[in-house]
């Protein structure tokens, strides 16, 4: 059996064999053996010629492939192209554009864009109600604006999007980063107290050490957190009081959006946040020495139950 890939070059060679693609996905999807995704029965047989399984139970969807119920479902694009694109998006630090994927795997730019959005769905982290800063951890909270500059917009677009308010042309994003742990982001309507404080309470464990800037919306959190403030008009670091770790994440995010994607519609922004959060949260550290193959393996393990149609993606009816 061919050794599983550890680099992009090895991945391209390995996944050029359709059987390797199916074996790689099937082992991770069904570690205890293949079961029918429609009825759950393990009485299935493999058709090597069609590369599909058939369930022994009699129901309308007896025959199924490894793509069923995943981000790959109903896609005519071969798995070797899908998995190469997945490897690239998972491990390219500043992201990868749909135009580059289109050239590299020989699909149209529209197809490449659809592929990347589905892969970003697999990169999405489900928090399951957990909170940052448990056991007295240190959490940084900050907000930033994502969006184009009004002076760079076409006149018609500027008149449509700009109404005189400073942030009309941008989307407000809040970030929560536990030092030595993970980062989370959330798109919010504004930076007002009745918006940011419920978000802090939703994502940060009560009693945690909380570090923010001097935004007025954070005032009053000291009753529930060890809240300390850094005034950026005076200094950026005061001992352990700073938001520099989160500022680093914002820098990586904006470098990818401005340098690779150029512009992101607010409707799709959360997907690009998911992408950058995944790479940041699964970066190689001393305590968690992940490599490219590990990150790719993690994304592949999250492809099930995350089907995304083009109509859902674009917000348009079928």
């Amino acid at each position: 059996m061919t050794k599983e890939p550890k680099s992009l070059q090895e991945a391209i060679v390995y996944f050029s064999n359709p059987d390797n693609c199916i074996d790689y996905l099937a082992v991770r999807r069904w570690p205890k053996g293949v079961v029918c995704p429609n009825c759950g029965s393990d009485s299935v047989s493999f058709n090597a010629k069609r590369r599909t399984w058939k369930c022994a139970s009699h129901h309308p969807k007896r025959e199924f492939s490894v793509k069923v119920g995943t981000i790959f479902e109903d896609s005519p694009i071969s798995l070797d192209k899908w998995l190469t694109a997945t490897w690239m998006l998972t491990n390219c630090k500043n992201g990868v554009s749909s135009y580059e994927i289109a050239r590299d795997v020989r699909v149209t730019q529209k197809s490449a864009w659809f592929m990347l959005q589905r892969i970003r769905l697999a990169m999405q982290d489900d928090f399951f109600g957990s909170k940052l800063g448990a056991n007295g951890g240190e959490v940084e909270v900050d907000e930033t604006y994502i969006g184009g500059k009004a002076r760079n917009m076409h006149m018609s677009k500027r008149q449509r999007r700009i109404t005189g308010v400073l942030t009309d042309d941008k989307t407000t994003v809040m970030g929560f980063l536990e030092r030595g742990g993970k980062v989370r982001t959330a798109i919010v309507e504004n930076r007002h107290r009745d918006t940011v404080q419920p978000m802090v309470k939703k994502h940060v464990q009560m009693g945690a050490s909380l570090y923010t800037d001097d935004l007025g919306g954070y005032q009053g959190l000291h009753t529930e957190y060890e809240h300390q403030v850094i005034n950026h008009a005076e200094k950026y670091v005061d001992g352990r009081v700073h938001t520099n770790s989160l500022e680093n994440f914002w820098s990586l995010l904006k470098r990818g959006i401005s340098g690779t994607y150029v512009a992101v519609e607010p409707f799709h922004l959360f997907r690009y946040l998911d992408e950058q959060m995944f790479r940041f949260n699964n970066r190689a550290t001393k305590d968690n020495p992940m490599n490219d193959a590990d990150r790719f393996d993690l994304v592949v393990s999250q492809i099930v139950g995350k089907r995304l149609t083009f109509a859902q993606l674009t917000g348009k009816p079928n």
Side-chain angles (χ1 to χ4, degrees):
M1 182 177 178
T2 307
K3 186 178 179 181
E4 290 185 352
K6 298 296 182 183
S7 68
L8 175 60
Q9 188 267 343
E10 292 178 2
I12 293 172
V13 174
Y14 182 84
F15 293 124
S16 63
N17 183 334
D19 292 324
N20 285 345
C21 296
I22 293 173
D23 290 344
Y24 190 94
L25 294 176
V27 168
R28 285 153 180 81
R29 179 173 185 179
W30 299 295
K32 296 182 180 180
V34 179
V35 298
C36 176
N38 298 300
C39 70
S41 171
D42 59 359
S43 298
V44 298
S45 58
F46 184 66
N47 185 330
K49 187 175 181 179
R50 292 173 58 84
R51 295 191 176 95
T52 60
W53 288 266
K54 181 174 284 188
C55 179
S57 302
H58 292 280
H59 54 79
K61 297 182 178 180
R62 293 176 60 196
E63 189 172 7
F64 60 92
S65 72
V66 75
K67 288 183 176 181
V68 171
T70 72
I71 62 171
F72 308 139
E73 184 167 353
D74 282 346
S75 173
I77 298 171
S78 58
L79 284 173
D80 62 325
K81 295 184 178 184
W82 266 110
L83 295 175
T84 298
T86 301
W87 189 290
M88 294 174 66
L89 185 66
T90 302
N91 293 302
C92 290
K93 189 174 182 180
N94 293 325
V96 57
S97 73
S98 58
Y99 284 89
E100 185 173 351
I101 292 294
R103 290 193 305 269
D104 290 346
V105 303
R106 299 296 296 273
V107 295
T108 66
Q109 184 272 329
K110 184 178 180 179
S111 294
W113 180 80
F114 188 21
M115 290 171 70
L116 291 175
Q117 298 292 34
R118 289 200 267 185
I119 296 168
R120 290 185 181 104
L121 179 60
M123 299 170 80
Q124 193 175 77
D125 188 4
D126 295 317
F127 303 133
F128 298 113
S130 63
K131 296 187 177 184
L132 302 174
N135 301 318
E138 297 178 304
V139 180
E140 299 177 20
V141 178
D142 192 28
E143 65 291 326
T144 192
Y145 294 119
I146 304 292
K149 297 177 181 177
R151 66 173 180 269
N152 295 334
M153 293 182 183
H154 188 274
M155 179 64 73
S156 60
K157 192 170 186 179
R158 188 186 312 165
Q159 291 175 342
R160 175 170 58 87
R161 294 184 61 178
I162 312 302
T163 61
V165 180
L166 177 64
T167 59
D168 276 347
D169 60 326
K170 298 180 183 296
T171 303
T172 307
V173 180
M174 283 189 70
F176 314 85
L177 184 147
E178 182 171 7
R179 292 179 182 172
K182 294 189 174 185
V183 66
R184 297 181 184 179
T185 60
I187 297 174
V188 294
E189 293 184 3
N190 51 56
R191 303 196 304 166
H192 301 162
R193 179 180 300 188
D194 57 357
T195 298
V196 300
Q197 292 204 9
M199 293 301 296
V200 172
K201 295 173 183 178
K202 177 181 178 181
H203 292 285
V204 184
Q205 184 69 41
M206 188 179 300
S209 296
L210 186 69
Y211 304 116
T212 71
D213 57 22
D214 61 342
L215 179 71
Y218 297 125
Q219 293 180 4
L221 289 173
H222 66 277
T223 59
E224 299 178 62
Y225 301 94
E226 295 293 330
H227 184 202
Q228 298 187 65
V229 174
I230 185 73
N231 185 348
H232 288 160
E234 299 177 354
K235 60 181 110 174
Y236 284 90
V237 180
D238 184 8
R240 298 198 60 79
V241 184
H242 62 81
T243 58
N244 288 356
S245 303
L246 198 45
E247 295 287 355
N248 174 52
F249 175 77
W250 294 142
S251 177
L252 292 171
L253 172 66
K254 292 181 179 181
R255 191 181 307 157
I257 291 178
S258 300
T260 302
Y261 302 121
V262 182
V264 174
E265 283 292 328
F267 181 71
H268 297 296
L269 177 59
F270 75 96
R271 303 188 190 281
Y272 295 85
L273 295 173
D274 289 336
E275 172 196 336
Q276 191 61 51
M277 279 192 293
F278 176 88
R279 284 196 297 265
F280 187 89
N281 290 337
N282 295 288
R283 65 197 185 280
T285 63
K286 184 178 180 180
D287 298 327
N288 187 27
M290 294 192 72
N291 56 35
D292 289 358
D294 295 330
R295 280 183 287 272
F296 175 76
D297 188 80
L298 179 57
V299 170
V300 170
S301 70
Q302 298 179 168
I303 64 172
V304 181
K306 294 184 176 181
R307 189 184 177 195
L308 180 66
T309 66
F310 195 77
Q312 291 171 330
L313 177 62
T314 57
K316 300 176 181 178
N318 289 315

